[in-house]
Amino acid sequence: MEKKYNPQAIEKKWQEYWEKEGHFRVKEDSDLPKFYCLEMFPYPSGKIHMGHVRNYVIGDVITKYKKLKGFNVLHPMGWDSFGLPAENAAISHGVHPAAWTGENIAYMKNQIKKIGLCYDWQREITTCKAEYYKWNQWFFLKMLKLGLAYKKASFVNWCPSCDTVLANEQVVNGLCWRCDTTVTRRELEQWFFKITAYAEELLNSCNALTGWPERVVVMQRNWIGRSEGVEVDFRVAGSDKAIRIFTTRQDTLYGATFISLSKKYPLLDALVKDREVGRQIEKLSEDSREKEGVFTGSYAINPLTGDKLPVWVANFVLMEYGTGAIMAVPAHDQRDFEFARKYNLPVKVVILPESHMKHTETGKNKDKISEAYEDEGMLVNSDRFSGLQSIDAKKGIACFLEKEGLGKKVINYKLRDWGVSRQRYWGTPIPIVYCESCGIVPVPENELPVLLPDGVFSNSKGASPLSEITDFKETRCPGCGESARRETDTMDTFVDSSWYFLRYCSPHENDRPFDPDAVLYWMPVDQYIGGIEHAVLHLLYSRFFTKVLRDIGIIKMDEPFKNLLTQGMVIKDGAKMSKSKGNVIDPDYLINRYGADTVRLFCLFAAPPEKDLEWSDKGVEGSYRFLNRIWVLTYNNREVLMLSHRENKNDSFSFSHLKPNALRLLRKTHQTIKKVTNDIERNYHFNTAIAALMELMNEIASFTPLSEDDKNVLGFSLKQGILLLAPFAPHIAEEFWKGMGGSQSVFNETWPLWDEKITREDEIELVIQINGKLRSKLMIPAGLDDEGIKESALRDPRISEYLQSRCMKKIIVVKGKLINIVI
RNA sequence: GCCGGAGUGGCGGAAUUUGGUAGACGCAAGGGACUUAAAAUCCCUCGGUCUUUAAGGCUGUGCCGGUUCAAGUCCGGCCUCCGGCACCA
């Protein structure tokens, strides 16, 4: 062991050692409890950044800890390697996306290894390889067969910068999730996955996600957006047609004063007689927040009142939700109210708030209101339902409508089907052929994979690059053998990441996506770690895929991720680290300067994992100082440590006759084992675990051994400290471990256990309060009974001074902690 | 607007599980030791304020109330910040 801590010298050595020994290579072993630890795999964009480092270090600590605890731990890594940046780099630099991606992977893999992360690299996955994306195609065909993949023309989100369609989940505040370009609408024929078929289950099983952060579950629930209501038919006056509306507020049905339709409402042609009106409707902008509308000229009949209501087109009514038609109740819906005021339409109050009930006579409602009353209340002007509370009226009116055949109860979801077609090159080809006579024909399974053609791809805007590759596009129909044309769109890359965690279980299967037995053994993922940005996107798609694959019959679980940890961002100078802000810290630079252990330690110590981490160069130096202190401490005590290890002086030595300071160190050691273990087990609060380790090291440093017993305790404490440090700073721990004579890796050891007996203090500091205020402290034996505590407290000179000439009302004793004297 | 989460020293953060010494651990700052000097290292101080010889007193966890012997922690009412959704009928 060198005298000076030189991370560069030791880190490389142990990284090679771990890799050579295959330390973190795993296979299924039914004798061992399994643990599947997974970090969201990266897109190989070029270099890793601090966000990656933080993410992977958190997973690495958990992995190493679980291994020391005796688990068979699967910890794989791979590359989410299809996607736009590769294609854009290819266009601007003239390199092939595959080459660009391959170089990045090689570079990033090397960077990752320098952090000292323990992955089973034999399970590495690269999604842009045919051996992987073949199974995307296979799943697509399975879903097609089940009606879960289908093609339809619709208005879709279009990113003009990325030149492709986006799913709803990929539009963030109207901007593209990847490049922040304003998303436009286009009408296109696209492939969809019918995620809405699973809306109910995805929502209900949110309750089973007990290991997920509450806010992520809430975001998923909101995204799915269930609402209960009724659909009601409003007959069009003078016609046999009807307008079907959806409402969740059937209790306000008597207050409907007009009907609003989406400008895309299919029946519109029949309702609009005047051509000029049609032109005005055409001009309505759905993007405008300003409410605008046009009267169609038609009327519809309220089935409950028989009233004739004017039918309008309103720019805020969405065709995509409900039926594309609503009943407008201006008195009880603010949007309808604004619309009614603008176009001078009638307002009819049918709900009164609780507070009004006492002093407002029913029937005498004020139509001159300044805003809609949207809460529930008591019905008025509602015929037989007047006087009911909203909650009862909702039930009553829904039942009445159903009984009379005027409407039915309906559940609606905000969730839309997942559009998976992308008009780009660098993705999985959709395995479909279009034939003049046979129509849409799936590529037969035995012809998979449909290979992404190599080499040629272009930069033409608006069309799929694959459509320009004749060799690819022109093919034979698998059905009739006549010439046909391939689908030239590729799949959304989120398809790739929706099942990669299954592939890791048996990544080399050629004839099936994965081995069901391996999946049965490893799944679900016990700990998944990644950024909050996927709270809906990737996590929702993966849950959907899991349920579909279950229904196909190839897996048996309902949910893929048992526990989820969403780590916070890495912040510098108040903003997320990014190239554009110029506040990035290069992990390579830090590792070269301080070593990986320092970088790891700082990432873990500066904040609990779920919170944002404020970067501090000085803080990194603090972590480096700590490791140096440990180094010096261990070096100075190397002989004691080696002796302790050789003679295997574990916790078996007698401690009953130890001197007070040695006993104190021994106690501190057991307390630290307990604290570190609990901090990891409870909620991965590594920051406080490391703080406890620092305390232990400070205590060891201030301990001077005088006797053999003292040396035994010192050796024991140091050895336990090294074991506790191992998951956080693996290189230095391995160096110490081997340096003191360990025959095998520190990671083949077992995590230390604490002895509860020893953690307990035999003397405690009694806090003495008077009227709840701290007045004195006193050392007393831990086992002292209430009477004894009272006696000692009252004997305390400071206390007796306080108590002079005052009478005590009450004394409260909290055993082992404090006494409060009320005077 | 709706739904989450959070407000604690100069800073990152402890203590909230189970009401019981607020500020662990670290960073920064100030002082000192060592050194020709500097770096490194080590030691001391470190919420505010009053008194100061000592010890201590008062005050302090976003704000206002409440419960309690005792509240950062529980209850009621606000304020601010962050995140998500947002014309979803």
Side-chain angles (χ1 to χ4, degrees):
Chain A
M1 194 178 165
E2 299 293 321
K3 187 169 182 185
K4 198 175 170 306
Y5 176 42
N6 182 358
Q8 287 73 22
I10 62 166
E11 291 188 349
K12 195 157 190 283
K13 178 174 68 180
W14 296 121
Q15 283 161 17
E16 282 166 4
Y17 167 76
W18 295 324
E19 184 153 359
K20 198 176 95 237
E21 299 276 305
H23 250 99
F24 297 95
R25 259 174 250 154
V26 283
K27 52 175 186 280
E28 293 83 82
D29 181 346
S30 52
D31 292 339
L32 290 174
K34 70 94 183 179
F35 194 89
Y36 187 174
C37 182
L38 183 66
E39 298 106 48
M40 290 180 187
F41 67 164
Y43 179 77
S45 53
K47 283 179 155 194
I48 59 166
H49 52 70
M50 284 314 302
H52 290 127
V53 174
R54 186 179 192 203
N55 189 183
Y56 306 151
V57 166
I58 291 166
D60 194 59
V61 173
I62 295 170
T63 299
K64 287 179 165 131
Y65 169 75
K66 286 291 177 182
K67 184 165 161 65
L68 285 162
K69 287 291 275 186
F71 285 85
N72 191 24
V73 190
L74 174 59
H75 189 219
M77 178 46 82
W79 311 96
D80 187 13
S81 54
F82 266 143
L84 262 182
E87 195 168 343
N88 290 340
I91 291 165
S92 53
H93 300 119
V95 263
H96 193 276
W100 185 85
T101 302
E103 277 167 32
N104 287 348
I105 288 174
Y107 190 87
M108 291 169 77
K109 192 171 169 181
N110 187 39
Q111 283 186 300
I112 284 175
K113 287 186 173 178
K114 282 201 264 177
I115 310 169
L117 306 171
C118 53
Y119 292 114
D120 182 354
W121 284 106
Q122 293 191 338
R123 292 173 185 258
E124 185 177 356
I125 283 174
T126 308
T127 59
C128 63
K129 290 188 175 172
E131 65 196 40
Y132 185 85
Y133 70 68
K134 171 184 177 179
W135 302 109
N136 289 345
Q137 296 172 339
W138 189 80
F139 293 136
F140 186 97
L141 295 177
K142 293 283 178 211
M143 287 165 77
L144 188 71
K145 207 172 280 174
L146 289 170
L148 292 171
Y150 66 95
K151 195 174 196 192
K152 71 167 181 196
S154 69
F155 282 90
V156 291
N157 308 300
W158 179 266
C159 174
S161 163
C162 296
D163 268 314
T164 186
V165 165
L166 299 173
N168 292 313
E169 288 78 11
Q170 293 156 11
V171 181
V172 180
N173 291 328
L175 306 177
C176 172
W177 70 291
R178 190 178 356 239
C179 66
D180 286 346
T181 305
T182 302
V183 171
T184 59
R185 310 281 292 171
R186 264 199 191 185
E187 191 168 18
L188 284 174
E189 260 212 296
Q190 297 282 294
W191 285 98
F192 287 86
F193 285 162
K194 206 173 194 170
I195 192 169
T196 52
Y198 287 83
E200 195 184 347
E201 196 196 339
L202 286 166
L203 183 71
N204 290 340
S205 53
C206 276
N207 298 329
L209 302 176
T210 51
W212 286 33
E214 182 63 23
R215 62 175 175 154
V216 176
V217 178
V218 167
M219 279 159 78
Q220 294 232 341
R221 282 203 187 101
N222 289 345
W223 189 262
I224 296 165
R226 180 185 198 267
S227 55
E228 276 179 42
V230 292
E231 284 182 0
V232 189
D233 284 341
F234 282 59
R235 196 166 49 76
V236 177
S239 148
D240 57 350
K241 301 219 159 55
I243 295 169
R244 177 165 293 182
I245 63 100
F246 172 71
T247 182
T248 57
R249 290 300 301 273
Q250 59 271 24
D251 54 322
T252 65
L253 200 49
Y254 286 85
T257 55
F258 58 100
I259 295 288
S260 298
L261 305 178
S262 160
K263 65 182 273 192
K264 295 184 206 124
Y265 194 72
L267 216 61
L268 216 48
D269 285 343
L271 297 169
V272 179
K273 302 280 173 353
D274 187 321
R275 201 174 290 165
E276 174 54 25
V277 171
R279 266 194 292 276
Q280 283 174 23
I281 290 171
E282 204 53 43
K283 269 193 279 178
L284 287 174
S285 161
E286 292 188 318
D287 298 330
S288 165
R289 298 289 296 185
E290 181 67 30
K291 286 175 185 51
E292 286 167 1
V294 178
F295 177 49
T296 59
S298 293
Y299 292 85
I301 311 297
N302 184 330
L304 290 192
T305 62
D307 290 348
K308 222 171 126 185
L309 310 179
V311 178
W312 285 66
V313 171
N315 65 338
F316 63 89
V317 178
L318 305 167
M319 194 58 227
E320 293 82 12
Y321 185 75
T323 60
I326 60 170
M327 64 169 192
V329 186
H332 305 294
D333 183 292
Q334 188 59 24
R335 295 158 301 179
D336 295 342
F337 181 78
E338 286 168 26
F339 193 86
R341 199 156 53 176
K342 179 162 180 174
Y343 295 105
N344 219 2
L345 292 158
V347 176
K348 185 184 169 196
V349 171
V350 292
I351 305 281
L352 290 182
E354 300 276 341
S355 55
H356 281 205
M357 273 174 219
K358 295 178 200 98
H359 44 82
T360 309
E361 291 170 47
T362 36
K364 237 196 200 176
N365 67 76
K366 311 257 185 305
D367 281 354
K368 281 189 187 128
I369 54 174
S370 60
E371 59 175 10
Y373 174 73
E374 296 189 319
D375 288 344
E376 304 198 328
M378 189 183 74
L379 274 71
V380 291
N381 287 327
S382 298
D383 194 16
R384 56 203 290 191
F385 299 102
S386 292
L388 287 181
Q389 292 296 311
S390 287
I391 184 163
D392 300 319
K394 275 185 184 177
K395 283 184 207 145
I397 292 175
C399 288
F400 179 75
L401 289 168
E402 284 199 331
K403 203 169 74 201
E404 301 292 315
L406 300 169
K408 60 170 196 258
K409 291 182 201 159
V410 162
I411 294 163
N412 264 325
Y413 296 93
K414 285 190 212 171
L415 184 71
R416 308 287 149 69
D417 280 339
W418 174 13
V420 294
S421 299
R422 296 292 178 273
Q423 292 69 43
R424 300 297 306 218
Y425 167 76
W426 192 234
T428 306
I430 295 173
I432 290 292
V433 167
Y434 300 100
C435 170
E436 290 265 330
S437 40
C438 307
I440 296 176
V441 185
V443 174
E445 271 184 34
N446 59 16
E447 287 179 24
L448 297 184
V450 175
L451 285 173
L452 188 63
D454 217 20
V456 202
F457 64 100
S458 79
N459 178 16
S460 66
K461 297 272 167 186
S464 302
L466 289 179
S467 66
E468 297 180 12
I469 303 176
T470 318
D471 282 354
F472 176 81
K473 191 178 170 186
E474 290 178 1
T475 185
R476 298 260 154 210
C477 170
C480 66
E482 292 300 309
S483 64
R485 151 181 88 77
R486 280 194 194 280
E487 168 65 63
T488 54
D489 284 354
T490 53
M491 288 185 212
D492 184 3
T493 55
F494 278 94
V495 174
D496 309 351
S497 53
S498 294
W499 67 280
Y500 78 111
F501 44 88
L502 296 166
R503 180 75 178 173
Y504 278 137
C505 298
S506 59
H508 307 298
E509 293 284 323
N510 283 323
D511 304 324
R512 48 188 181 175
F514 41 75
D515 171 9
D517 291 334
V519 167
L520 202 60
Y521 178 77
W522 290 113
M523 287 293 290
V525 173
D526 294 282
Q527 186 62 56
Y528 199 29
I529 309 155
I532 187 75
E533 66 271 18
H534 287 293
V536 175
L537 283 162
H538 157 63
L539 291 169
L540 186 65
Y541 295 147
S542 297
R543 293 182 63 216
F544 163 63
F545 247 71
T546 301
K547 290 173 195 302
V548 170
L549 298 190
R550 176 202 61 196
D551 290 346
I552 288 173
I554 55 175
I555 57 172
K556 293 203 166 73
M557 92 242 24
D558 300 314
E559 287 290 338
F561 312 123
K562 192 171 169 200
N563 295 296
L564 175 70
L565 176 64
T566 48
Q567 103 264 10
M569 291 184 296
V570 181
I571 303 283
K572 176 127 194 295
D573 310 323
K576 185 181 178 175
M577 277 190 188
S578 73
K579 264 186 232 156
S580 57
K581 294 207 181 69
N583 60 351
V584 286
I585 298 286
D586 178 18
D588 283 342
Y589 165 78
L590 286 171
I591 289 171
N592 288 338
R593 180 156 176 185
Y594 299 104
D597 283 340
T598 295
V599 177
R600 294 171 61 109
L601 207 63
F602 176 72
C603 285
L604 297 163
F605 179 62
E610 71 279 6
K611 286 186 78 170
D612 286 349
L613 185 153
E614 176 76 34
W615 192 262
S616 154
D617 293 332
K618 293 287 184 185
V620 178
E621 282 181 33
S623 294
Y624 185 60
R625 273 200 290 271
F626 171 60
L627 290 178
N628 268 296
R629 276 200 297 274
I630 298 183
W631 186 276
V632 171
L633 195 58
T634 309
Y635 179 81
N636 290 342
N637 292 297
R638 60 194 181 283
E639 269 150 35
V640 170
L641 193 57
M642 283 160 81
L643 195 73
S644 161
H645 182 257
R646 197 171 329 125
E647 295 177 10
N648 199 19
K649 288 253 169 59
N650 272 341
D651 45 359
S652 53
F653 58 82
S654 163
F655 56 89
S656 53
H657 59 283
L658 290 177
K659 294 218 182 61
N661 63 335
L663 186 57
R664 204 175 64 222
L665 178 58
L666 183 69
R667 179 170 290 131
K668 183 74 180 176
T669 306
H670 281 269
Q671 287 170 342
T672 305
I673 297 169
K674 180 179 180 178
K675 169 89 176 138
V676 172
T677 308
N678 286 342
D679 282 351
I680 297 176
E681 290 282 349
R682 208 166 40 149
N683 43 13
Y684 300 129
H685 277 196
F686 308 121
N687 56 330
T688 48
I690 291 169
L693 269 172
M694 287 173 169
E695 284 186 53
L696 176 65
M697 292 301 169
N698 289 343
E699 189 126 346
I700 294 175
S702 62
F703 180 77
T704 317
L706 300 171
S707 64
E708 273 308 299
D709 279 345
D710 287 357
K711 284 184 184 170
N712 287 339
V713 171
L714 178 67
F716 171 76
S717 297
L718 207 47
K719 191 171 158 183
Q720 303 305 299
I722 293 166
L723 280 168
L724 295 178
L725 183 68
F728 308 108
H731 308 89
I732 200 170
E734 188 76 278
E735 178 75 13
F736 292 154
W737 197 258
K738 286 298 178 76
M740 74 177 194
S743 57
Q744 53 175 3
S745 165
V746 66
F747 298 107
N748 286 341
E749 296 298 321
T750 44
W751 187 252
L753 296 170
W754 73 90
D755 184 336
E756 190 66 35
K757 262 197 328 286
I758 306 176
T759 62
R760 280 198 283 270
E761 305 281 352
D762 48 15
E763 229 188 3
I764 58 138
E765 192 181 47
L766 178 73
V767 168
I768 308 173
Q769 295 182 331
I770 293 177
N771 286 354
K773 287 197 168 154
L774 173 72
R775 291 302 176 195
S776 186
K777 290 176 187 176
L778 196 62
M779 294 309 295
I780 57 159
L784 200 63
D785 62 10
D786 287 10
E787 276 311 307
I789 290 174
K790 272 186 212 173
E791 235 170 78
S792 340
L794 295 176
R795 248 197 331 260
D796 185 83
R798 209 167 314 136
I799 296 306
S800 48
E801 196 179 316
Y802 261 100
L803 293 179
Q804 266 176 2
S805 74
R806 291 188 176 96
C807 71
M808 284 182 283
K809 278 194 200 150
K810 203 172 171 185
I811 296 179
I812 289 126
V813 177
V814 181
K815 224 170 164 52
K817 278 214 170 112
L818 61 71
I819 175 168
N820 188 14
I821 302 165
V822 187
I823 57 175

